[in-house]
Amino acid sequence: MWSLLALNSTHCQITHVVKRWKSTIRRIDKLLIANRGEIACRVLRTARRLGVKTVAVYSEADQHALHVSQADEAYNIGPPPASQSYLRGDKLLEVAHKAGCQAIHPGYGFLSENVEFAENCEKNNIIFIGPPASAIQDMGIKSKSKEIMSKAGVPIIEGYHGEDQSKAKLKQEAQKIGYPIMIKAVRGGGGKGMRIANTESEFEEALESAKSEAQKAFGDSVVLLEKFVAEPRHVEVQVFADLHGNAVHLFERDCSVQRRHQKIIEEAPAPGLSEELRSELGAAAVRAAKAVGYVGAGTVEFILDKKSHSFHFMEMNTRLQVEHPITEMITGTDLVEWQIKAARGEKLPLNQDQISLRGHSFEARIYAEDPSGGFLPGAGVLSYLRSPPVRDDIRIETGVREGDEVSVHYDPMIAKLVVWGENRAEALLKMQTLLTEYNVTGLQTNVNFLLDLARHPEFISGNVHTNFIKENNDSLFKTKTASETQLIQAALGVILQDEVTDIRNAVNRKDQFNPFIVESGFRINHQFNRDIKLEFKNEEKLVRVKFVDQNVFHVSLNGGKSWKIVNGQLSREDETVTLHCTIDGIKNRVNIFSDDNVIAIFDNSGKVELELEKASFLTEEVDDSVSGGNKAFAPMPGVLDKILVNVGDSVKKGDSLFVLIAMKMEYVVKATRDATVENIFFKAGDNVQKDVTILQFKEENMS
């Protein structure tokens, strides 16, 4: 059936195909999920509810992953790099046949928009839960999609979408369009293969980087050029179609708040739109879907002018989107269920008049990344993870648990926090509160940044656009310090945790009746007075604590010049440790986590993590930059893709030194001064850790 649809995409031909299947419902009782992480877990959940057996696949890096443990069966498909595992369509089809699956759900990313894979599924009598290969091809090539949309009466932004990909031709077209220019891979999405050239002098390097990243991510380096609109809103419409010619929209989402051209907070519906505009967007999206003979879940993305609210087609994502849960929350639907039913040949569960919009929903994407360091992705073990409880109005979409590792090989997403409220204000208040309850240590996350963003006055007002973070940079990235209350809580937490540890050790030694151990403050192995040395953002803090009575302390933050009366005790529930304390008569409670190296306080401001005193080591001073001093460092863990210089080369400030691949994104590290390369310590293809020295400059060239 898919091959028939792939041959033709006009309405009459689709109707002809539908007649053949009108009375036939295809069987899907066993499903292979060709993905990993949270989306694999999401598909598993619905499949289980529908009684469909599930088969997971995993790379060697994911053998203990959550989606593997949740599936009925799981198969190893290769080494950690996606190119050797999750992108191997031949292995996926081999597993599907071996496990007896009738269908494959591709999730998002990886092979979800791969024409060849969709065609190969059809050739192997495996149902691809997605649109026809012809629709993927038409919409996956952005230049082709814009041509089709224009003919369908969907407004588009003019640019260059030609086949001549020579550097000279592209540069010539960029000059015609006028800078700034958006260089965009014709395939794929997620911000990959996308660069902005603000001036002609930036064009060639931006072009090369976009092409290189596109080739790695999608196997195609072809790009298109568009006039870059500085402050648009990114508004997208969820569409759905079946094999019977029915197509509907499920309203729009606003995905304007982005970093590195990738979304971090989405909401539905889009704030500030009239019902008339909402209807126009939905109708345009449905025309787009019908123009390519679409089947299944898709998203039509528009650029919406911030002031005039005029809109233009940007692209169509021929798959389930990361942010689909907020559409489900406002429409009361399960889009994965709709996908499976559409793939079986069933009609859509609802027609357009039956789909209603209720309330408002937000999704916050929680990533392992460093917002203050340019949102560079991180990796590491989730040594501590606590999340809010799930309810009808709260969803936690995740593929990890405490103790799992966020790998350098894949996207650094930890979870999606999804909330619903009767209106935007109610939903936003819930999200603000619940972000304070999403507690992580072991690696850096963007939770504090998301909290600051959600509390920003302009965001609260709904004044969002794609340049929001840059425009509000100063207010979003204020210098933060640990408050006096947080310092006292940290010191008290250290002392009380030490008491718990000593008592636990005493119990293990059958020494629990020793009064010097059981009664706080009278233990022979603890001093009556104690100095707690804490470090926050490289600034040392000394907290002096005197024991007064059971759970009563005097605490000084100024070397003993003045003292505060503090009461404190710990409680534990479901492995969460809470500190209850009273400071000068003011009661408060916070969750805490501590180990030998850090203590983390989780309060209304988010997480404050302080380092505990440990041995110090003399290190060579370097600039804050990753290529400062006489060395160039890796700004994050990843794979060293290219080294662009050789030993003995003279480089100028701004010259590119090496390219690092991390979390499927490409990062170019540049020189911050003129220098001569003295040593290179790694080769292309090496895995490197964050802050490791990649190359060294000659000392005499330092200035």
Side-chain angles (χ1 to χ4, degrees):
M1 183 189 66
W2 290 112
S3 60
L4 289 172
L5 284 174
L7 290 171
N8 300 290
S9 61
T10 63
H11 179 70
C12 63
Q13 287 161 332
I14 292 169
T15 303
H16 173 72
V17 173
V18 168
K19 287 179 180 177
R20 291 188 55 200
W21 291 101
K22 199 166 185 179
S23 60
T24 303
I25 299 298
R26 296 181 296 173
R27 184 168 62 95
I28 300 178
D29 56 30
K30 196 169 188 181
L31 175 67
L32 184 143
I33 301 166
N35 217 298
R36 64 178 299 279
E38 67 88 12
I39 186 58
C41 295
R42 165 71 189 90
V43 175
L44 278 160
R45 189 167 67 244
T46 291
R48 185 183 301 115
R49 182 173 61 78
L50 296 176
V52 176
K53 294 293 184 181
T54 55
V55 175
V57 292
Y58 64 92
S59 71
E60 292 168 3
D62 279 342
Q63 59 180 318
H64 302 299
L66 183 61
H67 75 280
V68 174
S69 66
Q70 290 182 343
D72 295 302
E73 300 172 32
Y75 291 77
N76 186 328
I77 53 170
S83 61
Q84 300 176 48
S85 51
Y86 296 105
L87 291 174
R88 286 289 300 274
D90 56 334
K91 290 186 177 182
L92 296 170
L93 288 168
E94 182 183 335
V95 170
H97 281 298
K98 185 175 181 180
C101 299
Q102 298 93 18
I104 291 179
H105 194 301
Y108 55 73
F110 293 138
L111 295 175
S112 62
E113 295 178 283
N114 186 284
V115 176
E116 293 76 16
F117 182 63
E119 290 175 337
N120 285 334
C121 285
E122 188 272 331
K123 290 175 183 176
N124 282 271
N125 296 315
I126 299 290
I127 300 169
F128 178 78
I129 299 186
S134 60
I136 298 175
Q137 183 165 358
D138 288 346
M139 291 293 97
I141 302 175
K142 294 181 176 66
S143 53
K144 175 80 170 176
S145 69
K146 290 179 186 293
E147 179 185 340
I148 295 171
M149 293 302 102
S150 181
K151 290 179 180 178
V154 180
I156 65 169
I157 288 182
E158 296 301 324
Y160 176 71
H161 316 129
E163 295 181 5
D164 187 344
Q165 291 285 301
S166 67
K167 189 182 296 183
K169 177 63 174 176
L170 291 170
K171 197 167 186 178
Q172 180 186 24
E173 292 297 329
Q175 289 172 337
K176 288 181 183 178
I177 297 167
Y179 291 92
I181 289 288
M182 171 68 81
I183 305 168
K184 189 186 297 184
V186 297
R187 295 183 184 270
K192 298 174 182 66
M194 189 182 296
R195 295 292 185 274
I196 298 168
N198 291 296
T199 63
E200 185 177 348
S201 63
E202 297 177 5
F203 182 78
E204 289 192 16
E205 184 170 341
L207 175 65
E208 184 179 346
S209 183
K211 280 178 163 288
S212 174
E213 190 170 271
Q215 182 65 40
K216 291 183 179 68
F218 315 120
D220 190 339
S221 64
V222 176
V223 298
L224 58 81
L225 306 178
E226 289 178 345
K227 178 70 176 177
F228 176 64
V229 183
E231 291 188 351
R233 288 176 63 178
H234 178 132
V235 176
E236 60 187 34
V237 179
Q238 178 71 59
V239 293
F240 225 101
D242 63 22
L243 287 164
H244 302 265
N246 303 306
V248 299
H249 70 83
L250 292 92
F251 306 104
E252 82 287 349
R253 303 182 285 254
D254 193 302
C255 309
S256 298
V257 181
Q258 305 177 7
R259 86 284 184 265
R260 302 198 320 262
H261 308 299
Q262 290 183 310
K263 310 158 190 173
I264 47 174
I265 287 187
E266 302 99 339
E267 60 181 299
L273 302 193
S274 66
E275 288 303 316
E276 182 182 6
L277 177 57
R278 180 163 290 126
S279 295
E280 289 177 9
L281 282 164
V286 170
R287 287 201 304 273
K290 288 184 174 181
V292 291
Y294 204 80
V295 176
T299 298
V300 183
E301 300 190 348
F302 296 99
I303 288 177
L304 180 78
D305 188 276
K306 181 182 173 184
K307 295 179 180 178
S308 70
H309 283 185
S310 63
F311 62 90
H312 297 85
F313 174 81
M314 183 165 57
E315 63 184 9
M316 184 175 187
N317 290 308
T318 54
R319 53 175 166 79
L320 198 65
Q321 289 279 82
V322 177
E323 58 273 19
H324 76 274
I326 56 176
T327 294
E328 295 177 324
M329 294 294 258
I330 65 167
T331 58
T333 55
D334 183 333
L335 297 185
V336 174
E337 178 181 353
W338 281 35
Q339 283 187 300
I340 293 172
K341 288 183 174 181
R344 282 173 171 166
E346 299 179 31
K347 289 185 177 181
L348 293 181
L350 301 172
N351 61 41
Q352 191 66 65
D353 292 338
Q354 294 173 313
I355 301 170
S356 59
L357 189 161
R358 178 174 174 265
H360 203 96
S361 183
F362 284 95
E363 174 181 281
R365 301 190 190 188
I366 298 171
Y367 285 103
E369 66 181 15
D370 178 11
S372 61
F375 295 97
L376 293 180
V381 175
L382 295 160
S383 57
Y384 177 84
L385 174 59
R386 297 291 182 275
S387 60
V390 174
R391 309 189 306 237
D392 288 344
D393 58 343
I394 301 170
R395 287 167 61 171
I396 306 292
E397 301 289 347
T398 187
V400 296
R401 302 150 295 192
E402 181 176 288
D404 286 351
E405 181 180 3
V406 178
S407 169
V408 299
H409 296 285
Y410 313 114
D411 189 90
M413 183 185 288
I414 297 171
K416 301 182 306 193
L417 171 63
V418 184
V419 301
W420 179 89
E422 291 286 352
N423 51 56
R424 188 175 190 271
E426 180 183 304
L428 183 54
L429 180 60
K430 285 182 183 179
M431 184 172 72
Q432 293 166 350
T433 300
L434 294 170
L435 281 168
T436 68
E437 298 175 19
Y438 201 97
N439 304 157
V440 178
T441 66
L443 42 70
Q444 193 161 5
T445 75
N446 67 338
V447 172
N448 280 13
F449 176 79
L450 290 170
L451 186 57
D452 291 341
L453 196 154
R455 289 173 172 170
H456 195 282
E458 290 298 308
F459 187 84
I460 292 172
S461 299
N463 296 328
V464 294
H465 54 85
T466 57
N467 206 35
F468 185 91
I469 293 175
K470 185 177 181 180
E471 183 179 277
N472 297 286
N473 183 80
D474 292 345
S475 51
L476 287 172
F477 292 97
K478 291 179 179 177
T479 301
K480 295 192 175 182
T481 60
S483 69
E484 289 190 356
T485 296
Q486 289 166 337
L487 292 171
I488 292 171
Q489 290 168 336
L492 202 58
V494 170
I495 290 173
L496 295 175
Q497 285 277 59
D498 284 352
E499 289 184 1
V500 170
T501 300
D502 281 356
I503 292 172
R504 185 181 297 118
N505 291 340
V507 170
N508 291 337
R509 296 194 308 268
K510 304 186 185 303
D511 199 19
Q512 64 267 39
F513 301 110
N514 186 332
F516 295 105
I517 292 176
V518 174
E519 190 171 353
S520 175
F522 289 95
R523 291 165 292 143
I524 58 174
N525 60 333
H526 272 254
Q527 297 179 1
F528 189 79
N529 299 334
R530 186 169 174 189
D531 286 348
I532 306 294
K533 291 182 179 178
L534 305 168
E535 188 176 299
F536 182 75
K537 296 186 180 299
N538 298 318
E539 184 178 351
E540 190 176 280
K541 306 287 185 179
L542 177 65
V543 184
R544 186 158 290 173
V545 182
K546 287 183 180 180
F547 172 81
V548 177
D549 202 347
Q550 182 76 22
N551 296 328
V552 181
F553 307 87
H554 286 170
V555 179
S556 175
L557 298 172
N558 55 13
K561 295 177 183 177
S562 61
W563 297 85
K564 294 180 180 291
I565 300 173
V566 179
N567 296 68
Q569 59 184 4
L570 299 179
S571 66
R572 181 185 295 268
E573 183 177 352
D574 297 328
E575 298 303 311
T576 298
V577 177
T578 301
L579 170 66
H580 307 262
C581 68
T582 305
I583 303 173
D584 282 345
I586 301 175
K587 295 180 180 293
N588 53 69
R589 61 189 297 274
V590 292
N591 291 341
I592 66 170
F593 168 82
S594 66
D595 58 22
D596 292 338
N597 300 310
V598 300
I599 181 163
I601 304 293
F602 302 100
D603 61 15
N604 191 53
S605 67
K607 179 178 78 169
V608 174
E609 189 167 282
L610 300 109
E611 294 185 31
L612 302 177
E613 182 182 23
K614 57 181 181 291
S616 59
F617 300 91
L618 184 63
T619 58
E620 182 180 358
E621 267 190 36
V622 296
D623 295 345
D624 291 337
S625 165
V626 294
S627 59
N630 70 329
K631 297 177 180 179
F633 302 93
M636 77 215 83
V639 178
L640 196 57
D641 184 56
K642 298 175 187 173
I643 298 176
L644 305 173
V645 294
N646 297 304
V647 172
D649 283 358
S650 294
V651 297
K652 299 290 185 183
K653 181 178 179 180
D655 285 355
S656 299
L657 301 174
F658 57 87
V659 179
L660 197 65
I661 301 293
M663 313 298 181
K664 301 187 287 185
M665 299 290 284
E666 181 178 277
Y667 300 88
V668 181
V669 174
K670 300 183 178 184
T672 56
R673 62 181 181 83
D674 297 352
T676 300
V677 179
E678 183 175 51
N679 281 309
I680 299 174
F681 302 104
F682 293 90
K683 65 182 185 301
D686 286 349
N687 284 285
V688 296
Q689 296 301 311
K690 180 180 179 180
D691 295 331
V692 71
T693 301
I694 303 298
L695 58 85
Q696 184 170 332
F697 303 120
K698 286 186 177 179
E699 293 282 352
E700 59 266 26
N701 285 317
M702 294 182 66
S703 56

